[in-house]
Amino acid sequence: MGILALLVFIAVTVVMNVPLKRPISESLLVALLATALVGGKDALSLLWTGIWGALDNDVTFAGMAFVLMGVIVSATGLIERLIEIFNSVFGRLRGGAAYVSTAGSAAIGLVAGSTAGNAATVGSVTIPWMKANGWSGARAATLVAGNSGLGVSLPPNSTMFIILATPAAVGVSAGDVYVSLFVAGAYCVLYRMLVVFLWTRRDGIQRTDSGHLATFRQALASGWTSTTIFAGILIPVLLTFGPLFTWLESEARVGEEAMGEISIIVWVPILISAIALVEGRKRLRGKWGQLRRAVRAEAPQFATVGISLFAALAASNIMGELGVGPQLSEALARMDLPKPLLVLVVCLTAVLVATPLSSTATAAAIAAPAVIALGTVDVPSVVAICALLVCTSTEGASPPVGAPIYLASGMAEVSPQKTFLPLIAWFVAPVIAIAWLIAMGWLPIPS
């Protein structure tokens, strides 16, 4: 019954979201009800169990908290000040605008998981700058669309929360996934920096006049407070992972039980929001009404994230009650594929599903069987989750439906079709390779 419930959940979500073009939150709610009905006469009790478990999970709160955090960080202009610092470092290099674009996408990926939002924010600043510095419009659009996936391959993001809500993630620490995904995302950032380096040489991009650029010291002097945003990530990480956590969990100090109550995915958005408000208080003076309006404008996104997470959590609980985990493990074990091939099949499946669907919908549809499948060939759950997130990060760069492709192409004033093959060659295929290497254990991450 568990496998049937999973298939029903996937089928209803995909049909509602793709052919019927219903919002993902609505699709997941209908899929939740359909999943409960698989239980037959126990449908109501299963639905209640699923709902209660979802309401009691801090992932639901965290998902909406990160949306609020993104609004606050955007309103204070904190990211723009970070980009100015990046510019002072990379702006003097050949192809400097492209390096800044990549670093900016990574910075935004650390505070907001939307691929379209990432492309829109970074592209509006760096695409005109790249074109002015000798890059073609097609190259600029390809880079911005390809980099948009950093919103998913770097923590935090709603896709991560969806996977943490699945039965396959039971017993997996959110803090461990956060730290491990940070490392996995770092590989993705480094690869993109290499792409910029190669493109700069291939396209003959020359160093531009840097006389107008602020020095690193000047940029840091005027915008150093923006770097305090990283304290909002570092503090919860140190308190939930590593030597400091080990030292504090001693019964002679704070204690294991108390330290275990600290949730990294709850405290990161709270601390970053607080830091952004303090750091940007002067810029918000007299503009608090604008911030309130921005929060109200995000109400649909709050609803989408909150409802989607709630529905996915509740459905996952129902599938767990119906025994999907053991049933899938047994079925996948019978396939008896060698590890390299099984890992590749899972990675390709995730990317193919993420092409028509969003990364969030992909995670809701296939995360549980994918993580369990990788577990049958001894891939640790944390590593499997990170590999899957890296795969689904191709959502924005997968032609022909990735929204960032059209956003970036529109800003660069080029035909989107000109970016299709470069995106597949430079971003989709290499990201699959990175995910495969992570799952195989050849690109090490904490697990």
Side-chain angles (χ1 to χ4, degrees):
M1 294 293 282
I3 292 179
L4 177 60
L6 174 62
L7 293 174
V8 167
F9 181 73
I10 293 172
V12 173
T13 300
V14 172
V15 170
M16 291 285 295
N17 190 237
V18 181
L20 299 183
K21 300 187 184 303
R22 303 306 304 168
I24 185 60
S25 54
E26 180 182 327
S27 303
L28 289 171
L29 276 177
V30 175
L32 166 63
L33 295 175
T35 303
L37 290 174
V38 173
K41 60 183 179 59
D42 297 323
L44 286 178
S45 63
L46 286 169
L47 184 62
W48 172 250
T49 299
I51 289 173
W52 182 253
L55 293 174
D56 194 40
N57 196 313
D58 58 9
V59 171
T60 305
F61 163 80
M64 292 183 287
F66 276 111
V67 174
L68 177 62
M69 179 192 76
V71 174
I72 293 172
V73 168
S74 176
T76 59
L78 189 149
I79 291 297
E80 285 77 4
R81 291 188 288 283
L82 273 178
I83 289 178
E84 284 296 318
I85 296 175
F86 293 145
N87 189 23
S88 70
V89 177
F90 297 112
R92 292 169 175 79
L93 302 176
R94 289 180 60 184
Y99 286 111
V100 173
S101 183
T102 302
S105 288
I108 291 176
L110 287 169
V111 297
S114 167
T115 55
N118 193 304
T121 303
V122 176
S124 64
V125 175
T126 62
I127 284 179
W129 182 23
M130 288 176 66
K131 292 176 70 176
N133 287 1
W135 292 93
S136 70
R139 278 287 200 224
T142 300
L143 183 67
V144 169
N147 286 343
S148 68
L150 293 174
V152 178
S153 58
L154 285 166
N157 54 75
S158 56
T159 309
M160 182 181 83
F161 301 140
I162 290 288
I163 296 179
L164 287 171
T166 65
V170 172
V172 174
S173 163
D176 287 349
V177 172
Y178 193 104
V179 174
S180 298
L181 185 59
F182 186 90
V183 177
Y187 290 132
C188 297
V189 175
L190 289 173
Y191 167 73
R192 285 165 166 85
M193 290 294 189
L194 177 61
V195 168
V196 173
F197 177 83
L198 294 174
W199 282 0
T200 299
R201 271 67 189 169
R202 171 179 287 195
D203 295 355
I205 305 298
Q206 300 302 312
R207 185 179 289 107
T208 57
D209 177 22
S210 59
H212 66 286
L213 292 179
T215 66
F216 177 70
R217 181 177 295 179
Q218 290 170 336
L220 202 59
S222 62
W224 70 269
T225 54
S226 64
T227 63
T228 58
I229 191 174
F230 296 112
I233 300 171
L234 183 61
I235 292 171
V237 167
L238 291 176
L239 290 176
T240 55
F241 186 87
L244 180 60
F245 170 76
T246 302
W247 185 77
L248 289 173
E249 72 173 348
S250 167
E251 293 301 327
R253 298 179 181 89
V254 178
E256 183 178 359
E257 183 176 353
M259 291 301 297
E261 291 298 316
I262 300 174
S263 172
I264 190 171
I265 60 172
V266 169
W267 281 104
V268 164
I270 291 174
L271 288 179
I272 288 182
S273 297
I275 289 169
L277 288 171
V278 172
E279 192 273 342
R281 64 191 183 282
K282 292 181 181 178
R283 295 167 183 83
L284 287 173
R285 191 171 296 154
K287 299 180 181 179
W288 291 98
Q290 294 181 16
L291 178 59
R292 287 194 295 271
R293 286 191 291 274
V295 172
R296 284 199 293 270
E298 286 295 316
Q301 181 67 4
F302 281 109
T304 297
V305 172
I307 293 171
S308 297
L309 288 172
F310 166 78
L313 281 164
S316 295
N317 292 333
I318 292 172
M319 286 185 276
E321 290 290 318
L322 292 172
V324 68
Q327 294 168 25
L328 274 173
S329 297
E330 183 180 350
L332 291 166
R334 287 200 297 266
M335 292 176 65
D336 198 28
L337 290 175
K339 181 176 180 178
L341 182 57
L342 180 60
V343 170
L344 182 60
V345 167
V346 170
C347 290
L348 289 173
T349 301
V351 171
L352 289 172
V353 174
T355 297
L357 296 180
S358 68
S359 59
T360 303
T362 301
I366 68 164
V371 173
I372 291 171
L374 293 175
T376 63
V377 289
D378 299 322
V379 178
S381 295
V382 171
V383 175
I385 289 170
C386 292
L388 189 61
L389 283 163
V390 171
C391 287
T392 59
S393 73
T394 59
E395 163 207 341
S398 296
V401 295
I405 298 173
Y406 299 94
L407 285 170
S409 297
M411 287 184 280
E413 298 179 324
V414 297
S415 169
Q417 283 78 7
K418 291 185 177 181
T419 70
F420 285 1
L421 288 178
L423 281 169
I424 293 171
W426 290 97
F427 292 97
V428 177
V431 166
I432 294 172
I434 290 172
W436 185 82
L437 290 170
I438 288 171
M440 291 297 296
W442 296 339
L443 274 181
I445 63 175
S447 60

